[in-house]
């Protein structure tokens, strides 16, 4: 069964999976979505006996139908290898009445590695399949994790260059150090004066600039994206929900076809959308619990049906979720609008013009799969401390937002369905916030890398290589720019 892709704002024309991955964003500004969600027609008993790589093939082959078996298995083998520090790739840890799906065992200790380890291989394979001779320029905005994970994936990959924009003073010290020390002759990093939404909007404007596209073409380049707006980012994320379910079954924690809840700390909406797609493939998921921090634009949307970004942008200790324009929500809006591109486009134009839109009651009724709530800064810190003191398990700030919201959900509903919490980053990525949550008086005066060693001592988890290698790494990137300077910076890097 061939799965094709169409734009959420388009005229119904379709492209193949490899073409959608290459383009990243549709020419009309829309996001590519599959024209159908394929069924996961593999019994859980069989999935339970598979490695992560084998599950990845079963899931991804159903979406990326123009990749041959050999091509896709080659991409998977290169992606999920020794760069992950656990053979299981995405292990589950039982703590605090839930199962934490640890998505941070890759090269940059954040869940973005799960998809960005494979995207370079999908992209370069797609380029060959479509006879692309231009160099591919990956242009991406990051709220902290995507940038480093994308650069680690694309560093020195022939035929590619990657340019990452991040908000200056809007990421953690460890996140920034990871980015500005990135090696690779084809990697470029730019701090912008603004927040993540400014960076993301700036990138989208560059993508949609026809004149710039023509200039790049003439110079032998073409743009693509490593953000979760690229369907090549989203499809690999579906895999770990399927793998988590199969793992729970294998360990005797659930029966075949028993439903589970999934909790996801959510910013740009890609990670929870992947869980939604998994559910629509047939994975027995009951509730999709969307956890926000103080930037609770998604919580307000699920409660009221109005999406309104006209509010104060709050810098929190969970910076990867400090987002007011959740790009991937558009894919869900398109679906609950009955796959009506005209209706979706009107809502997105309203968001662009007025900063908000409201869905109708018919669309709102289709959000019954979702539950939204949020955790403030005090609740986030308290949950880190409570779980550490209760069971010795240390979680990062984003995972804590999810755990806090899950507790609210249980108190509100009494639902005791077994639950998987997406643990999206290692606590080492946000060491200061984590350690000060555990004991602010004791740790406030310590330096960042002193805190790293202290975290290792209390968690009994060795310091990850991703942290060790930046202790004394040289700063390689120091470009800072205004938002309106972003196109010029890109041209300068490319020598145009």
């Amino acid at each position: 069964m061939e799965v094709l892709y169409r734009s959420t704002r388009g005229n119904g024309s379709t492209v193949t999976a490899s073409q959608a991955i290459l383009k990243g964003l549709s020419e009309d500004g829309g996001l590519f979505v599959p024209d159908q969600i394929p069924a996961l027609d593999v019994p859980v008993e069989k999935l339970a006996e598979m490695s992560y790589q084998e599950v990845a093939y079963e899931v991804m082959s159903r979406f990326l139908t123009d990749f041959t078996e050999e091509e896709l298995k080659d991409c998977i083998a290169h992606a999920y290898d020794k760069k992950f520090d656990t053979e299981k790739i995405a292990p589950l840890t039982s703590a605090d009445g839930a199962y934490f799906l640890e998505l941070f065992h890759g090269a940059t200790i954040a869940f973005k590695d799960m998809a960005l380890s494979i995207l370079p291989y999908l992209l370069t394979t797609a380029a060959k399949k479509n006879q692309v001779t231009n160099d591919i320029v990956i242009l991406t905005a990051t709220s902290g994790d995507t940038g480093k994970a994308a650069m680690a994936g694309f560093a020195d990959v022939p035929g590619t260059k990657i340019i990452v924009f991040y908000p200056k003073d809007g990421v953690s010290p460890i996140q920034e150090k990871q980015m500005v020390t990135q090696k690779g002759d084809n990697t470029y990093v730019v701090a912008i004066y603004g927040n993540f939404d400014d960076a993301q909007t700036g990138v989208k404007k560059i993508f949609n600039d026809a004149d710039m596209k023509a200039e790049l073409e003439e110079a032998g380049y073409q743009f693509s994206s490593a953000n979760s707006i690229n369907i090549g980012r989203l499809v690999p994320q579906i895999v770990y929900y399927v793998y988590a379910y199969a793992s729970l079954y294998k360990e005797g924690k659930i029966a075949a076809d028993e439903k589970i809840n999934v909790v996801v700390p959510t910013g740009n909406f890609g990670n929870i959308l992947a869980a939604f797609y998994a559910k629509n493939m047939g994975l027995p998921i009951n509730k999709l619990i969307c956890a926000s921090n103080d930037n609770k634009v998604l919580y307000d949307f699920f409660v009221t049906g109005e999406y309104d970004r006209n509010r104060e942008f709050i810098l929190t200790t969970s910076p990867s979720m400090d987002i007011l324009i959740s790009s991937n929500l558009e894919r869900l809006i398109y679906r609950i609008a009955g796959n009506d591109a005209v209706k979706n486009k009107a809502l997105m134009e309203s968001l662009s013009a007025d900063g908000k839109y409201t869905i109708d009651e018919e669309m709102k009724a289709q959000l019954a799969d979702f539950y939204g709530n949020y955790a403030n800064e005090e609740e986030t810190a308290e949950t880190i401390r409570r779980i550490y003191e209760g069971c010795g398990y240390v979680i990062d700030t984003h995972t804590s937002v999810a755990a806090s919201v899950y507790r609210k959900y249980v108190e509100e509903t009494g639902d005791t369905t077994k639950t998987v919490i997406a643990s999206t980053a290692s606590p080492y990525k946000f060491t200061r916030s984590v350690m000060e949550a555990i004991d602010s008086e004791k740790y406030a005066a310590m330096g960042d890398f002193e805190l790293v060693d202290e975290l290792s001592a209390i968690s009994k988890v060795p310091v990850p290589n991703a942290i060790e290698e930046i202790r004394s790494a040289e700063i390689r990137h120091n470009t800072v720019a205004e938002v309106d300077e972003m196109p010029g910076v890109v041209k300068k890097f490319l020598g145009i």
Side-chain angles (χ1 to χ4, degrees):
M1 182 180 73
E2 186 179 24
V3 175
L4 295 171
Y5 292 79
R6 54 170 51 99
S7 168
T8 53
R9 304 184 198 180
N11 57 11
S13 62
T14 56
V15 296
T16 64
S18 63
Q19 289 167 340
I21 289 169
L22 270 175
K23 289 173 184 287
L25 193 66
S26 174
E27 287 89 347
D28 55 28
L31 309 188
F32 287 111
V33 289
D35 61 358
Q36 57 192 310
I37 303 289
L40 183 65
D41 50 1
V42 185
V44 68
E45 294 85 354
K46 192 173 177 184
L47 289 167
E49 298 308 314
M50 293 181 184
S51 66
Y52 189 89
Q53 293 84 346
E54 290 167 334
V55 173
Y57 178 75
E58 294 298 334
V59 173
M60 293 173 65
S61 62
R62 282 156 175 75
F63 282 94
L64 309 181
T65 53
D66 68 326
F67 284 72
T68 67
E69 180 177 350
E70 183 184 5
E71 286 169 341
L72 192 49
K73 284 185 173 176
D74 186 59
C75 291
I76 289 166
H78 278 96
Y80 304 112
D81 58 9
K82 296 294 184 187
K83 69 174 75 71
F84 286 83
D85 64 18
T86 169
E87 193 179 330
K88 288 187 175 179
I89 308 295
L92 284 160
T93 295
S94 176
D96 197 42
Y99 298 97
F100 288 80
L101 177 61
E102 294 185 349
L103 301 173
F104 52 76
H105 289 279
T108 75
I109 58 174
F111 83 102
K112 305 295 173 74
D113 290 322
M114 303 299 293
L116 284 164
S117 293
I118 196 168
L119 183 61
Y121 300 102
L122 294 176
L123 199 55
T124 50
T125 303
K128 285 176 195 162
K129 292 175 79 66
N130 290 277
Q131 290 79 52
V132 169
T133 56
N134 289 341
D135 276 10
I136 295 165
V137 180
I138 303 297
L139 206 61
T140 201
T142 186
S143 54
D145 288 336
T146 289
K148 172 62 180 180
M151 286 190 291
F154 281 95
D156 293 323
V157 170
T160 69
K161 292 184 186 295
I162 177 162
I163 304 171
V164 170
F165 295 95
Y166 74 93
K168 186 167 176 55
D169 305 322
V171 300
S172 81
I174 296 287
Q175 285 177 312
E176 183 169 48
K177 190 86 184 283
Q178 281 187 303
M179 285 190 282
V180 298
T181 59
Q182 176 64 48
K183 295 176 182 176
D185 292 338
N186 64 337
T187 65
Y188 306 89
V189 184
V190 186
I192 63 137
Y193 294 111
N195 57 41
F196 169 75
D197 291 333
D198 297 323
Q200 182 166 251
T201 301
V203 165
K204 283 185 174 179
K205 280 182 180 173
I206 294 171
F207 265 105
N208 293 323
D209 185 332
D211 292 338
M212 191 159 177
K213 187 177 178 182
E215 280 186 77
L216 254 76
E217 181 72 36
E218 196 175 319
Y221 296 114
Q222 68 184 61
F223 284 136
S224 191
S225 172
N227 280 83
S228 52
I229 55 175
N230 192 318
I231 198 71
R233 265 282 305 276
L234 192 61
V235 169
Q237 292 181 268
I238 301 168
V239 175
Y240 45 73
Y241 294 110
V242 176
Y243 182 73
Y245 189 88
S247 297
L248 288 175
Y249 174 78
K250 184 177 185 177
E251 293 168 15
K253 308 295 187 188
I254 56 172
D257 301 323
E258 181 179 346
K259 288 193 172 184
I260 63 169
N261 291 330
V262 173
V263 190
V264 187
T266 309
N268 219 15
F269 207 75
N271 202 3
I272 196 165
L273 184 72
F276 176 74
Y277 277 12
K279 175 173 175 139
N280 281 273
M281 289 184 84
L283 196 70
I285 293 175
N286 173 41
K287 213 66 163 176
L288 295 155
I289 299 170
C290 179
S292 299
N293 64 16
D294 277 322
N295 292 290
K296 56 187 179 70
V297 64
L298 286 166
Y299 163 66
D300 292 340
F301 168 72
F302 282 116
V303 171
T304 66
E306 180 183 65
Y307 190 97
D308 186 356
R309 66 173 175 86
N310 299 310
R311 61 184 71 200
E312 181 190 358
F313 185 96
I314 302 168
L315 291 175
T316 73
T317 54
S318 47
S320 299
M321 298 161 65
D322 290 347
I323 294 171
L324 295 180
I325 305 173
S326 301
S327 285
N328 269 290
L329 185 64
E330 179 171 347
R331 287 185 164 114
L332 180 65
I333 297 299
Y334 172 79
R335 185 177 174 88
I336 65 174
N339 299 332
D340 184 335
V342 174
K343 190 172 183 179
N344 174 72
K345 186 178 181 182
L347 292 169
M348 295 308 125
E349 285 174 349
S350 176
L351 179 65
S352 181
D354 306 321
K356 60 184 178 181
Y357 60 80
T358 304
I359 60 173
D360 58 37
E361 288 302 316
E362 188 179 347
M363 291 172 71
K364 195 176 176 187
Q366 294 182 65
L367 296 176
D369 286 343
F370 291 88
Y371 167 91
N373 214 320
Y374 75 102
N376 63 31
E377 290 289 84
E378 292 75 21
E379 291 166 330
T380 302
E382 191 276 328
T383 297
I384 291 171
R385 183 169 57 254
R386 179 179 60 77
I387 291 178
Y388 168 67
E389 290 175 351
C391 52
Y393 187 55
V394 183
I395 57 174
D396 92 294
T397 45
H398 304 74
T399 307
S400 179
V401 168
S404 302
V405 165
Y406 174 56
R407 200 176 199 202
K408 291 181 181 183
Y409 170 78
V410 173
E411 289 171 355
E412 194 177 305
T413 65
D415 181 8
T416 57
T417 301
K418 284 159 190 164
T419 295
V420 168
I421 294 175
S423 185
T424 52
S426 164
Y428 283 100
K429 197 112 180 177
F430 304 93
T431 317
R432 180 164 299 284
S433 297
V434 168
M435 297 302 281
E436 288 187 7
I438 290 171
D439 189 334
S440 58
E441 285 186 21
K442 183 175 180 181
Y443 298 124
M446 286 190 181
D448 288 328
F449 286 102
E450 278 183 282
L451 290 173
V452 163
D453 294 328
E454 194 70 17
L455 173 56
S456 180
I458 69 163
S459 66
K460 300 178 176 57
V461 174
V463 178
N465 185 55
I467 300 297
E468 288 291 3
E469 66 185 14
I470 64 169
R471 279 187 194 261
S472 55
E474 66 168 312
I475 305 296
R476 299 171 58 91
H477 307 276
N478 52 22
T479 304
V480 183
E482 300 288 351
V483 175
D484 60 6
E485 294 173 332
M486 287 169 63
V489 168
V490 170
K491 287 184 186 181
K492 182 182 174 186
F493 286 151
L494 300 178
I496 297 174

